[in-house]
Amino acid sequence: MKQFLLIITFISSNICWAQLSKGHLRIIEKQSIRIPDGTLILRGANCYLKDTVWFVDGKLNEPDSIGAGRFTAYVELGMIMDSNITGSMQFPGTGDNLLAHHLTNLYCSKYEVSNWEYRWFLSIMKQQDSLNYQNYLPDVSIWTKTVPGLGLAYSQNYHHHPLYLDYPVVNIRQDQAIAYCNWLTESYNSSPNRKYKKVLFRLPTETEWIYCYLGGKPESEVTFNGSFRDKKLLFTANFSLVKPEYSLAINPHQKLDSNQHGLGMIDGMYVLGWNLTASALKSTDAQISAPVYSLAPNGFGLYNMAGNVAEFVDETGFTKGGGWNNTGFYLMPMHRDTYFTNTYSAGVDRGFRWVMEIIEQ
């Protein structure tokens, strides 16, 4: 039903206009999740805290011998605190550094940008910027270079077939993601029925992205210590259980020679072939990416911050969060998956989501 509504919405968007319709405005505004203000701890430290009461896991040690009002506590990597401290600080008596960044006035898209949303953008660019239209298109040829056997089918269908409208857009570069955000900013601010007078859509900074990823919880709880499972041991992200480059042999039961390394094993079986079932290679039943609303949202109500597709950030040279083609290591919040230049930033498991700042209410 949801996919049907998205199809109808997309069809209705092919009208020639620069402004957003009232329906599209409501979709964008409903998709914008207000992120609670807070401070992201980027480096853990045993630190003394003066004139500030910070609770760590609900506990705070007794004042030490340095003097009244100073406390010592361990701050976990990625812990979000109720504080407005920003910057790098060295605490007396320990020599430890704490890198903290305060975030405020931030809204984040509930979902990764989907194929139907990007096609909506393309339909406008074809009319408004026809000379540069080709530069906005996804590079579908990457499918055949990356996915053995099924690459041709995905190159012909993933970006066009109605079945994939609510899947995340991939095979675009960082500058194309930025162009989408710029267009959305201009279109929203010129629409008469908008909720906010002036906003800015953009890619998140790495710090903002990590903050949104954690959803108000410590890293260990969000990632289940790197296994990405919930308390019932069900997977919470769409990712690969073994590295795909280790799975190129034809026979999935063939044992390699002792000088061939890097094999993954699941249930005692060597995982060597793409002809294995998706569930043997992946954490979910999805062969590749999954719809943008798949799996459960995090503490802030955001979907697929880990896995599905790696996401561009404002900084150039790396993506965050890992994708369906990555193992769990790449899904950790502090990891950067690098690319060399913007020209080579597109990939079958790379997409993006936007954040929104309210400039004028």
Side-chain angles (χ1 to χ4, degrees), residues 82-100:
D82 292 326
S83 168
N84 60 2
I85 293 178
T86 295
S88 180
M89 298 156 285
Q90 188 173 62
F91 292 92
T94 67
D96 288 331
N97 285 324
L98 177 68
L99 187 61

Side-chain angles (χ1 to χ4, degrees), residues 174-215:
Q174 186 204 35
D175 68 298
Q176 292 172 305
I178 293 173
Y180 176 94
C181 293
N182 293 340
W183 162 79
L184 189 57
T185 297
E186 181 179 348
S187 297
Y188 183 95
N189 289 336
S190 62
S191 301
N193 297 309
R194 62 190 184 277
K195 181 178 179 180
Y196 306 108
K197 187 174 182 179
K198 185 178 181 180
V199 303
L200 172 66
F201 292 95
R202 57 176 175 79
L203 295 180
T205 65
E206 182 183 23
T207 298
E208 290 169 340
W209 187 93
I210 295 171
Y211 187 88
C212 292
Y213 174 108
L214 293 171

Side-chain angles (χ1 to χ4, degrees), residues 60-72:
L60 190 61
N61 288 359
E62 293 296 322
D64 62 19
S65 58
I66 293 180
R70 295 194 180 192
F71 304 86
T72 180

Side-chain angles (χ1 to χ4, degrees), residues 196-307:
Y196 306 108
K197 187 174 182 179
K198 185 178 181 180
V199 303
L200 172 66
F201 292 95
R202 57 176 175 79
L203 295 180
T205 65
E206 182 183 23
T207 298
E208 290 169 340
W209 187 93
I210 295 171
Y211 187 88
C212 292
Y213 174 108
L214 293 171
K217 299 178 180 179
E219 177 190 44
S220 58
E221 182 177 343
V222 174
T223 68
F224 204 71
N225 295 316
S227 65
F228 295 93
R229 296 174 183 263
D230 60 20
K231 293 180 179 179
K232 297 181 180 179
L233 299 183
L234 299 176
F235 285 108
T236 58
N238 176 25
F239 65 103
S240 293
L241 301 180
V242 293
K243 294 175 74 69
E245 56 264 38
Y246 297 157
S247 55
L248 300 179
I250 296 176
N251 184 355
H253 300 288
Q254 171 190 352
K255 286 192 175 182
L256 298 189
D257 296 335
S258 58
N259 63 343
Q260 294 176 284
H261 303 291
L263 282 177
M265 291 189 65
I266 297 178
D267 295 332
M269 180 176 67
Y270 287 87
V271 180
L272 310 174
W274 280 93
N275 57 333
L276 290 176
T277 62
S279 59
L281 288 172
K282 299 283 299 303
S283 63
T284 69
D285 290 334
Q287 286 187 324
I288 49 170
S289 60
V292 296
Y293 49 79
S294 299
L295 300 172
N298 71 1
F300 288 160
L302 308 176
Y303 289 76
N304 293 299
M305 291 299 297

